[in-house]
Amino acid sequence: MNDKPINPYWVLAASLLIPGGGHVLQGKTQRGLTFLFFTVILGWVSIRLMPESASFFARHVGGIFIYGISVLDSYKIARVNWETWKHAQHGKTSGEH
């Protein structure tokens, strides 16, 4: 892993702006688009199933749930890549093999 990965905080910001955006930023386009698709679909299903009197959160709970998982997933992947890269760089500078 020679190329410096994207900073996890940039990935987190992209994920918060657009569902799946953090995945796309990391080059995992299919994964990001899958999260976006299920965010929209489950949000739509939630709207159709919940009564009119339900709160905004309750009416969109399916989409919000997938959106939250997407943010956590993309940040976790970015953090693991970042720490792996840092560890590899430390090994190169200290002469370890």
Side-chain angles (χ1 to χ4, degrees):
M1 190 173 216
N2 294 331
D3 295 336
K4 184 176 181 179
I6 298 170
N7 188 305
Y9 294 118
W10 285 114
V11 172
L12 181 62
S15 291
L16 290 171
L17 289 174
I18 301 172
H23 292 97
V24 173
L25 187 61
Q26 295 180 80
K28 300 181 183 311
T29 306
Q30 183 175 0
R31 189 177 186 107
L33 292 176
T34 301
F35 271 112
L36 177 61
F37 174 78
F38 281 105
T39 298
V40 171
I41 293 299
L42 290 177
W44 181 82
V45 168
S46 295
I47 289 172
R48 298 292 175 245
L49 292 178
M50 293 294 176
E52 289 287 324
S53 60
S55 68
F56 177 84
F57 180 83
R59 292 197 60 189
H60 297 85
V61 71
I64 292 169
F65 177 71
I66 299 299
Y67 176 63
I69 290 174
S70 171
V71 170
L72 294 174
D73 183 64
S74 64
Y75 179 75
K76 179 198 67 143
I77 292 169
R79 176 56 65 187
V80 167
N81 289 341
W82 183 263
E83 295 301 328
T84 302
W85 176 80
K86 272 183 24 181
H87 181 71
Q89 295 304 310
H90 177 70
K92 287 179 184 178
T93 58
S94 66
E96 296 176 14
H97 294 281

